[in-house]
Amino acid sequence: MRSRLFFLGICLSLLLCPLQSVADLRFLLPPVSSPAVMFAAFQPLAAQLQKTLGEPIKLSFSADLHQFYLKAEEKRAQIVLLCPIAYLKVAHSNPYIPLAGLAPPPGGEYSVIVVRSDSPIHNVLQLRGKSFILGNPACAASALVPLSLLDAAGIKRSQLSELRQGGSDSNALMDVAARFYDATAVAENIAAPYLRAGTLRVIARSTVGPGDLIAASANVPVQQRQALRQALLDLAQQDPVALSAIHALATKFVPVSPGTYGPLRSLYADLYGDDLSPQVQRPRWRLGIPPAFSPLTAARLFQPLRMALEQATGMAIEISLPSNERQYLQQLKTGRYQFALLSPLMTQAAQSVVHPLATLVPDSGSSGLALVRIAGAREPSERLRIAYGSPYCSAKTLIADEVAKVAAGKSVNWWPVDSERAVFTALGSGQANWGIVRSATVDSLAASMPHTWQIVARGGPAPAWNLVASKEIARKQRAQVRGDLATLPEQALAAAGFREIDVRP
């Protein structure tokens, strides 16, 4: 009888206290403003989360970024507000689980490279040999994204006369306005006062990709994490006052999937050579994309395909890009990618290790490829050097007739490089006069960096790309993928240069 009563008592206590208790849950905030300002902004949110958990939540501040990272690495129960780069670094060496992302205010989803209004610099290529100051080192809009734009244009950091870390966005903007540096980059809404006043102007603009987030350390119990996640996602309905208090940072909280920050990891590896894969590996599969686009551009253009694969497989799909075409094929053969997009020549090279699923059919007509050069660049009078992706790209053959027409009798030296992205590097460095890329590639870059490249001619059509699955994907799952792809709208991948997805065998 006593044992039954004891058992009933335990069950009753579990029903009355469903959440495992954690003493003094800490809410760690980055040093983006003074503690007084941060306290006023986040205390209402902390109070709402405390109400949800029925446990005390203590706000914690840091004097600088170094101290912030040290606190984030402490083995204790805490939730942390993180910029994307801070999350990549913290989660690489410490187990952190994303709870929710912050949807930024208007303009916060874009990174802009700015110069003084009277500056002679009018495009990104003119930054070569000039000084550049970076803003907040933990934010993608102020560091990672602008450096990737320079890299996409073929400008290496060593080719700047000076590259300095300013420590904060406000310091970087003031330093450019005061003529200490030629250019900087910050989120568009941060630069807005200088742009409205006419002090600075924009020469490049790019989407940032995934933004700030709140993540929990592994010491926070699973039930607590679930409750916190739901409370953040419901904040707009449950406590609009708490949400309005942080309006400068977020308009709402949004779900964060395991693969959300994959493109930023690819970008970081591109620029710094470091793999920042997280310690806590949540189940996910990779979709490989040829190195034609930048990681962030590829993530945006192929979002419909990624979501269709997630729906068909029930797995989180992370878009991943290699450095060059040879590396891509090697990684595919060693099992890095569960799904991959391949050019026809890549498909032939990998046919023994993959199953074909579908074909991405390019836009009809003969303008799928572009012959490009640097805008305003002088050309040699006799011999042209043309860079093209090799060895897995057939663009050279497809556009050869157009090249012959516009070369006007000049001799042509064909120069094979590692990828379409390498074509832009060859142009930016002056090693090539012209380059051959897919029209969709240069169009996407030109949207971010206007007045940089000139289209000499268009030809084609561009080759189709094949979607393949690795041998580990079962036949039933492959059939499900084909079925879900067939439901996508015909123009779902139009921005990437494809008219439709053909799933016929």
Side-chain angles (χ1 to χ4, degrees):
M1 183 67 176
R2 287 181 178 178
S3 62
R4 288 182 180 178
L5 290 174
F6 179 72
F7 177 75
L8 289 172
I10 292 177
C11 292
L12 182 60
S13 66
L14 289 174
L15 289 173
L16 293 176
C17 303
L19 297 179
Q20 182 179 347
S21 176
V22 290
D24 194 17
L25 179 66
R26 185 165 74 181
F27 190 172
L28 178 59
L29 298 172
V32 297
S33 189
S34 69
V37 171
M38 296 296 284
F39 182 87
F42 282 91
Q43 181 55 33
L45 174 58
Q48 177 62 22
L49 297 179
Q50 181 171 300
K51 179 181 176 182
T52 298
L53 296 183
E55 300 286 348
I57 295 180
K58 180 182 178 182
L59 291 176
S60 179
F61 310 96
S62 304
D64 51 41
L65 196 57
H66 176 68
Q67 186 186 73
F68 172 76
Y69 279 127
L70 290 177
K71 286 187 175 182
E73 292 169 359
E74 293 177 6
K75 307 300 181 185
R76 59 166 297 160
Q78 62 181 340
I79 58 175
V80 186
L81 174 63
L82 295 161
C83 286
I85 298 178
Y87 167 67
L88 296 183
K89 291 183 176 180
V90 169
H92 172 60
S93 55
N94 299 273
Y96 268 88
I97 300 91
L99 297 178
L102 280 68
E109 70 272 34
Y110 292 102
S111 170
V112 291
I113 296 179
V114 295
V115 298
R116 290 182 301 280
S117 293
D118 61 353
S119 171
I121 300 169
H122 295 279
N123 64 49
V124 169
L125 291 177
Q126 292 173 339
L127 289 173
R128 183 178 284 105
K130 300 299 190 294
S131 59
F132 200 104
I133 183 168
L134 297 171
N136 188 336
C139 291
S142 309
L144 200 60
V145 174
L147 288 178
S148 75
L149 286 175
L150 296 180
D151 186 69
I155 299 177
K156 303 303 179 185
R157 282 167 282 172
S158 60
Q159 294 176 314
L160 299 169
S161 65
E162 184 178 359
L163 179 63
R164 181 173 174 267
Q165 191 72 65
S168 73
D169 291 342
S170 59
N171 287 346
L173 289 166
M174 286 189 290
D175 280 350
V176 173
R179 303 181 183 275
F180 295 131
Y181 293 88
D182 293 306
T184 188
V186 296
E188 189 173 40
N189 61 321
I190 302 299
Y194 289 85
L195 300 177
R196 286 195 298 266
T199 308
L200 303 177
R201 59 179 166 81
V202 175
I203 63 168
R205 183 175 186 260
S206 173
T207 54
V208 176
D212 299 348
L213 74 157
I214 293 179
S217 69
N219 298 84
V220 179
V222 174
Q223 287 180 297
Q224 294 273 8
R225 297 202 300 265
Q226 292 172 344
L228 289 166
R229 179 179 292 111
Q230 197 59 51
L232 291 169
L233 297 177
D234 294 341
L235 188 66
Q237 293 76 34
Q238 298 298 323
D239 195 343
V241 173
L243 185 59
S244 66
I246 58 171
H247 70 278
L249 288 177
T251 57
K252 62 180 178 179
F253 287 94
V254 295
V256 178
S257 67
T260 299
Y261 290 86
L264 284 179
R265 289 193 188 94
S266 293
L267 198 54
Y268 196 93
D270 268 2
L271 294 173
Y272 300 105
D274 294 332
D275 180 8
L276 295 182
S277 296
Q279 274 196 357
V280 176
Q281 291 287 351
R282 306 178 79 183
R284 69 184 191 277
W285 283 349
R286 288 188 175 93
L287 166 63
I289 306 287
F293 306 97
S294 72
L296 292 180
T297 300
R300 174 173 53 84
L301 297 181
F302 291 96
Q303 174 80 343
L305 177 59
R306 185 185 72 82
M307 294 180 67
L309 292 176
E310 285 195 345
Q311 180 177 332
T313 63
M315 293 290 293
I317 304 295
E318 178 178 302
I319 286 179
S320 181
L321 281 86
S323 297
N324 57 65
E325 294 173 353
R326 290 184 178 84
Q327 183 193 64
Y328 188 30
L329 266 294
Q330 291 170 356
Q331 291 176 343
L332 183 66
K333 291 176 180 179
T334 57
R336 177 176 174 82
Y337 306 106
Q338 284 70 40
F339 300 99
L341 290 174
L342 304 176
S343 70
L345 294 178
M346 289 177 182
T347 305
Q348 292 178 22
Q351 60 183 342
S352 63
V353 296
V354 298
H355 290 293
L357 291 176
T359 300
L360 274 61
V361 182
D363 292 331
S364 58
S366 58
S367 59
L369 296 173
L371 183 65
V372 299
R373 66 181 175 188
I374 299 301
R378 292 184 179 180
E379 294 178 355
S381 57
E382 297 181 357
R383 189 177 185 85
L384 293 168
R385 196 176 200 201
I386 304 178
Y388 68 100
S390 175
Y392 300 106
C393 177
S394 54
K396 171 186 172 183
T397 303
L398 294 173
I399 202 173
D401 290 342
E402 291 297 325
V403 171
K405 291 177 185 177
V406 296
K410 296 177 183 177
S411 61
V412 172
N413 176 21
W414 293 95
W415 180 30
V417 293
D418 283 337
S419 66
E420 279 195 23
R421 289 163 66 188
V423 170
F424 292 100
T425 300
L427 290 172
S429 64
Q431 295 176 285
N433 309 113
W434 291 351
I436 299 174
V437 293
R438 287 163 37 85
S439 287
T441 306
V442 69
D443 290 345
S444 67
L445 278 175
S448 296
M449 295 178 276
H451 317 300
T452 305
W453 297 281
Q454 178 184 350
I455 307 297
V456 178
R458 294 188 190 261
W465 280 3
N466 299 307
L467 175 65
V468 301
S470 72
K471 294 287 188 180
E472 70 180 85
I473 307 299
R475 179 181 297 179
K476 184 177 180 180
Q477 279 188 311
R478 299 200 303 270
Q480 182 65 50
V481 168
R482 288 193 180 96
D484 280 28
L485 291 178
T487 66
L488 285 176
E490 186 175 282
Q491 294 289 326
L493 300 178
F498 299 102
R499 185 181 75 250
E500 62 176 324
I501 301 177
D502 185 355
V503 296
R504 291 174 296 180

